[in-house]
Amino acid sequence: MRKKAVGAALFGLLMIAGCSSGGGGGAAAGATPDGKNGDAPPASSSPRDDAAAIEAAYRKWGLKPFAAPPAPPAEKPVKGKPGEMPVVSDIPTKEKIVFVTFDDGAEKDPKFVDMMRDLKIPFTMFLTDDIIRGDYGYFKPLQGLGNSIENHTLSHPNLRTLGEAAQKNEICTQEKKLGKEYGTAPGLFRPPYGNWNENTRAAAKSCDIRAMVLWRESMQITNMQYQRGDKKLHPGDIILAHFRGPKELKGTSMTQMTANMLRHIQEQGFTVARLEDYV
């Protein structure tokens, strides 16, 4: 009798072990943690699958994937002289990177949001309150992709025609508005038309702006305008584009204009990096 009892106990232990390991007599294969039957969780995607998904996303917009940008420097290379706010048109770097920026905010094309969600290209927005106030919400998904919203004044004036107090109102009031709407006060400022003077720099500094950002190239419809005589991109160049639609672009959509710009960048052997990592 003793031997039979021991044998029965061993058999019971083996059955318990089999259940806990999913063996015979346990839960069905593919059972979920709550004991219900279901498919096993999908395996994580492979690098090959990820690359194919990226290629498909770019192909949707008639583009090829960009090379990944290099890791940003441990210390940002843009620095002003002691007590002076820096003004930059390009970033000091030897890497073949450029920086994409969009101004104003007039065109609010939902397809552009889709495009940037697909491509995941970093860019910076310089927004004017008079132009965006009818639809602050349009820019929040773009911000949610990791793209910062920066200051481009309240009403887009030629700042050279204004005194320091009026300039300060244009810049500082916009700081407060953008901070309230988007949760973060801008650290960068772009003067409308690229027009500024020392009053502008003093006003911007008083509003806690850390740098004034200009540009080297501006995107038109199919081509770029270059400031340099060689008509080429250079490492660290800042590129200006605008939130514009078919009315301003002679029938071309904002996504088509953006695709044209990205092709120019790629054809010259450059990739796109995040401006805020360098300024």
Side-chain angles (χ1 to χ4, degrees), residues 46-66:
S46 67
R48 181 178 295 180
D49 292 336
D50 291 341
I54 293 170
E55 287 181 7
Y58 274 75
R59 188 164 54 247
K60 174 181 173 182
W61 301 100
L63 298 165
K64 296 179 181 179
F66 278 90

Side-chain angles (χ1 to χ4, degrees), residues 63 217-226 231 233 239-242 244-245 248-268:
L63 298 165
E217 291 82 29
S218 60
M219 185 63 199
Q220 303 304 301
I221 300 174
T222 58
N223 294 307
M224 288 188 190
Q225 286 185 349
Y226 296 86
K231 307 295 183 184
L233 294 172
I239 300 172
L240 165 66
H242 290 84
R244 288 176 178 164
E248 297 82 8
L249 299 175
K250 300 180 180 179
T252 299
S253 69
M254 184 171 177
T255 56
Q256 290 171 324
M257 179 271 291
T258 301
N260 291 336
M261 174 177 60
L262 297 176
R263 288 190 196 98
H264 282 293
I265 294 169
Q266 202 167 54
E267 287 167 359
Q268 295 185 51

Side-chain angles (χ1 to χ4, degrees), residues 84-252:
E84 185 176 270
M85 186 186 68
V87 180
V88 297
S89 299
D90 50 57
I91 304 301
T93 180
K94 294 181 180 179
E95 302 282 0
K96 293 204 74 174
I97 56 174
V98 294
F99 304 92
V100 172
T101 66
F102 290 91
D103 275 16
D104 302 344
E107 180 68 14
K108 301 170 183 68
D109 185 349
K111 290 185 178 180
F112 179 73
V113 179
D114 294 339
M115 183 185 203
M116 293 296 102
R117 186 178 289 121
D118 286 343
L119 303 185
K120 297 177 173 61
I121 291 171
F123 62 93
T124 304
M125 296 169 276
F126 289 91
L127 302 182
T128 296
D129 191 68
D130 278 3
I131 299 173
I132 68 170
R133 68 173 58 170
D135 190 1
Y136 290 123
Y138 170 81
F139 303 94
K140 291 182 180 179
L142 297 172
Q143 182 191 33
L145 295 173
N147 305 299
S148 74
I149 291 174
E150 307 293 348
N151 193 327
H152 197 42
T153 71
L154 280 173
S155 64
H156 208 275
N158 178 354
L159 292 174
R160 289 179 184 168
T161 66
L162 303 179
E164 184 176 343
Q167 292 196 41
K168 184 175 179 179
N169 178 64
E170 283 283 341
I171 301 168
C172 293
T173 307
Q174 179 67 338
E175 281 288 290
K176 295 175 183 176
K177 283 181 173 287
L178 293 176
K180 178 181 178 181
E181 291 295 333
Y182 299 106
T184 303
L188 304 178
F189 168 68
R190 173 170 283 161
Y193 316 107
N195 291 343
W196 64 281
N197 54 27
E198 287 304 318
N199 282 338
T200 313
R201 199 196 313 242
K205 185 178 179 183
S206 74
C207 304
D208 294 326
I209 297 293
R210 68 177 182 269
M212 188 151 51
V213 179
L214 304 179
W215 62 89
R216 282 293 184 181
E217 291 82 29
S218 60
M219 185 63 199
Q220 303 304 301
I221 300 174
T222 58
N223 294 307
M224 288 188 190
Q225 286 185 349
Y226 296 86
Q227 293 179 3
R228 298 185 183 91
D230 62 4
K231 307 295 183 184
K232 293 180 181 179
L233 294 172
H234 290 245
D237 278 2
I238 298 169
I239 300 172
L240 165 66
H242 290 84
F243 284 94
R244 288 176 178 164
K247 183 177 179 181
E248 297 82 8
L249 299 175
K250 300 180 180 179
T252 299

Side-chain angles (χ1 to χ4, degrees), residues 24-43:
T32 58
D34 61 5
K36 298 178 181 179
N37 290 339
D39 294 332

Side-chain angles (χ1 to χ4, degrees), residues 15 17-29:
M15 287 295 292
C19 290
S20 64
S21 63

